[in-house]
Amino acid sequence: MSSLGELRRLGTASAGPPRKRDNRAAFFFLSPWFAGLILITAGPVAASFVLGFTDYNLIQPPEFNGLANLRRMLTDERLHHALGVTCTYVFVSVPLQLAFALGLALLLDRGMRGLAFYRSVFYLPSLLGSSVAIAVLWRQIFGADGLVNQALQVFGGSGRSWISDPGTALSTLIVLNVWTFGAPMVIFLAGLRQIPAMYYEAAAVDGASRARQFRSITLPLLSPIIFFNLVLQIIHAFQSFTQAFVVSGGTGGPSDSTMFYTLYLYQRGFHSFDMGYASALAWLLLVIIAIFTAINFWASKRWVFYDD
């Protein structure tokens, strides 16, 4: 066979069936992921949606009760209290966390020595902040004999058990969330590095102060990063569970001052075995997060600047 004929044969052979074989191979290697998506994620999500319209206690078969769980939410005072506590936690801790992260990113953006080391050290709390170990440590720090009270005694002050006082228990969890500023700080730092230096140089030639440069250059050009961090941290804060569970011992106390929405959902499902109502609460949380995310996207048209 000539060389031309051999090339024609190879070209004809690679046009049809091998591509189908490649597709089958791709589906074969992706099949574990599809199995996990259906069995571990999509299946339970669909099941929880159906259970949200039932009365189910894990022992007896679920009984369809229509919209009874939704009507129950309207009169559930403890649910309303948990929503208030969660919203306070989200709307206080997230702005403080982002402001702290942005301030530190601006400080690190000045080209200081050992930047990689400091960046790693400051990022560490984000990896550990939602862990059980840090929540236990936080409970010891703000306890009656904790580090905070010992520091106050050095300056002649008197302390108390901050996590046992209904007036300060939620504040300790807010401080813990602010402390996990590492992840947004790293993203802010990457965004600051993308702002061209010529803008600041031109502003300096025109006599603009540092504050004016920050207000007129940094904030507008960094607004997409701020928006990204804002949406991400609001979703994360609404889902907070471990800190409140460990610090309060799973009760949401004292006096339900740390009763997060997720903790109340857990109590209804795994303490009271009220799975039907807990499933409805889970879907309500999804709707709440979706509404706040949609509001953020709608409001972003007014303050987020995309440099096209």
Side-chain angles (χ1 to χ4, degrees):
M1 182 181 294
S2 66
S3 300
L4 187 59
E6 181 67 18
L7 288 174
R8 187 181 295 112
R9 188 186 67 79
L10 291 174
T12 305
S14 60
R19 180 170 296 178
K20 292 183 179 179
R21 283 199 296 270
D22 290 345
N23 291 339
R24 283 198 292 270
F27 282 119
F28 174 76
F29 285 110
L30 286 173
S31 58
W33 184 85
F34 282 118
L37 175 66
I38 295 171
L39 298 177
I40 299 176
T41 303
V45 167
S48 72
F49 181 78
V50 175
L51 289 175
F53 297 96
T54 65
D55 182 12
Y56 180 43
N57 60 8
L58 286 179
I59 299 175
Q60 298 173 336
E63 295 182 4
F64 181 74
N65 62 3
L67 300 178
N69 288 331
L70 301 181
R71 289 194 294 268
R72 182 178 167 186
M73 291 178 188
L74 299 176
T75 58
D76 189 345
E77 294 183 358
R78 208 174 182 204
L79 168 63
H80 302 161
H81 177 77
L83 275 172
V85 171
T86 305
C87 287
T88 302
Y89 173 78
V90 172
F91 296 130
V92 174
S93 69
V94 170
L96 288 176
Q97 183 196 49
L98 294 183
F100 198 74
L102 178 58
L104 206 54
L106 290 169
L107 189 65
L108 294 177
D109 190 45
R110 295 187 174 183
M112 59 191 305
R113 284 188 174 182
L115 175 61
F117 171 76
Y118 289 115
R119 191 168 50 198
S120 302
V121 169
F122 289 137
Y123 183 69
L124 200 58
S126 290
L127 298 177
L128 304 175
S130 59
S131 67
V132 174
I134 292 299
V136 172
L137 177 64
W138 217 252
R139 189 172 181 171
Q140 298 301 322
I141 290 175
F142 287 96
D145 299 324
L147 187 63
V148 173
N149 286 342
Q150 292 179 13
L152 289 175
Q153 288 173 3
V154 171
F155 297 99
S158 59
R160 51 183 171 174
S161 180
W162 302 87
I163 59 173
S164 300
D165 188 337
T168 57
L170 181 60
S171 300
T172 62
L173 296 182
I174 290 174
V175 172
L176 174 56
N177 192 46
V178 174
W179 181 64
T180 60
F181 59 86
M185 181 208 70
V186 170
I187 299 173
F188 279 140
L189 194 55
L192 288 171
R193 293 298 174 91
Q194 300 302 316
I195 300 177
M198 62 179 182
Y199 293 155
Y200 295 105
E201 294 169 358
V205 170
D206 291 340
S209 64
R210 290 274 186 181
R212 181 61 187 273
Q213 292 178 24
F214 175 75
R215 191 172 63 252
S216 302
I217 299 175
T218 305
L219 279 182
L221 295 182
L222 202 62
S223 57
I225 306 295
I226 297 173
F227 172 65
F228 174 78
N229 273 330
L230 179 66
V231 172
L232 215 61
Q233 294 306 318
I234 285 179
I235 294 174
H236 178 71
F238 267 113
Q239 296 174 328
S240 295
F241 170 78
T242 306
Q243 301 91 328
F245 180 84
V246 174
V247 169
S248 69
T251 63
S255 303
D256 280 352
S257 59
T258 59
M259 180 59 77
F260 284 3
Y261 187 96
T262 51
L263 183 56
Y264 181 64
L265 190 158
Y266 172 82
Q267 288 187 352
R268 299 312 308 171
F270 296 96
H271 284 186
S272 305
F273 299 108
D274 194 357
M275 285 295 176
Y277 189 53
S279 298
L281 289 176
W283 278 92
L284 176 62
L285 178 60
L286 175 66
V287 171
I288 291 172
I289 292 176
I291 289 174
F292 277 104
T293 303
I295 291 174
N296 273 324
F297 272 91
W298 173 78
S300 68
K301 298 175 183 175
R302 301 176 182 273
W303 65 273
V304 177
F305 172 74
Y306 292 100
D307 186 13
D308 297 329

